[in-house]
Amino acid sequence: QDKLADSADERKVEQKQAPEQARGQAREIKERIVAEAERVAVETTHWKSGGERMLELIEEWKRAPRADRPTEQALWKRMSAARNSFSKRRKAYFANLDQQREEVRVAKERLVSEAEELQNSTNWGPTARAYRDLMQRWKASGRADRASEDKLWARFKAAQDTFFDARNAVFAERDAELRVNAEAKEKILADARAEIP
């Protein structure tokens, strides 16, 4: 009977320890989830994958076994703080990005205005150099939002094309005149050679 009593006592201890072990394991699982969420909140700068990972961690939290109530509450508070921290960092990043893009858009608007002012110039050399300078400034200024970038580039390119098309037409006309003059000179020279004994 002593053996039976001892066995029953051991069984009671085991039954009492089993839920405690399960809660301990649940606590470890959820602490790991929270630690990962806190790491994502602090370190991640790839916002899409970071947001996806944060959602995955919340789903893992939901599927994980439950720990005791005070532990659950404390860990959830940390999890929620990590999620909020990540969201704030992401919002701040995109707000800053929007501001930078707006500054670039304004700078490129000025470059387009300069390009459009030059498009009818017939001062070929200095204007061509000015367009090269404008192009370098365009490339160095960064990127605006896609829609603005496309519209501004179309205007910039149109102004540049207007100038270079006009310059090329004048140079082609000059080349044609020079060719006609060169041919006339060649004919005069050939005639002169023919007359020399």
Side-chain angles (χ1 to χ4, degrees):
Q1 265 187 345
D2 287 340
K3 279 189 175 183
L4 196 55
D6 288 344
S7 180
D9 288 341
E10 285 177 23
R11 201 80 154 123
K12 285 180 185 176
V13 168
E14 285 175 10
Q15 286 177 340
K16 191 174 183 181
Q17 288 176 345
E20 188 58 41
Q21 283 180 328
R23 282 192 294 272
Q25 288 174 340
R27 182 174 48 251
E28 287 176 19
I29 291 168
K30 288 196 170 177
E31 282 177 354
R32 179 194 55 76
I33 292 169
V34 169
E36 173 71 7
E38 289 170 336
R39 186 195 63 74
V40 168
V42 171
E43 296 176 7
T44 298
T45 55
H46 191 278
W47 305 111
K48 186 175 191 303
S49 65
E52 289 169 356
R53 182 63 182 135
M54 196 61 80
L55 291 174
E56 289 169 3
L57 290 169
I58 290 170
E59 289 304 312
E60 285 180 38
W61 173 279
K62 291 176 184 177
R63 289 190 306 269
R66 294 185 59 81
D68 60 277
R69 189 177 204 56
T71 301
E72 283 279 326
Q73 288 176 337
L75 288 173
W76 180 252
K77 189 174 183 178
R78 285 175 53 199
M79 182 76 168
S80 182
R83 186 171 62 175
N84 289 339
S85 172
F86 176 78
S87 293
K88 283 180 186 175
R89 284 183 55 235
R90 180 172 50 187
K91 284 178 188 175
Y93 171 82
F94 284 110
N96 186 41
L97 187 61
D98 287 344
Q99 181 183 348
Q100 288 174 352
R101 286 180 175 163
E102 178 58 18
E103 290 169 5
V104 169
R105 187 196 63 75
V106 168
K108 286 191 172 181
E109 187 78 49
R110 285 192 298 267
L111 293 173
V112 168
S113 294
E114 288 182 50
E116 289 172 340
E117 286 176 19
L118 293 172
Q119 70 184 345
N120 295 317
S121 172
T122 55
N123 198 357
W124 308 123
T127 305
R129 284 190 293 279
Y131 270 112
R132 278 193 290 279
D133 177 58
L134 286 172
M135 180 60 79
Q136 288 173 345
R137 289 166 48 203
W138 179 279
K139 290 177 182 177
S141 65
R143 293 198 48 82
D145 64 279
R146 186 175 193 92
S148 297
E149 187 80 22
D150 291 347
K151 288 176 187 172
L152 291 169
W153 175 249
R155 286 177 53 202
F156 184 92
K157 183 94 171 79
Q160 188 176 21
D161 288 350
T162 297
F163 168 77
F164 283 105
D165 288 349
R167 184 187 79 157
N168 292 344
V170 167
F171 284 5
E173 190 176 314
R174 279 186 196 165
D175 288 349
E177 287 175 16
L178 291 174
R179 226 180 347 272
V180 167
N181 290 341
E183 288 170 5
K185 288 178 184 176
E186 284 290 328
K187 185 172 182 332
I188 291 171
L189 193 56
D191 289 346
R193 281 192 187 124
E195 291 182 18
I196 295 175

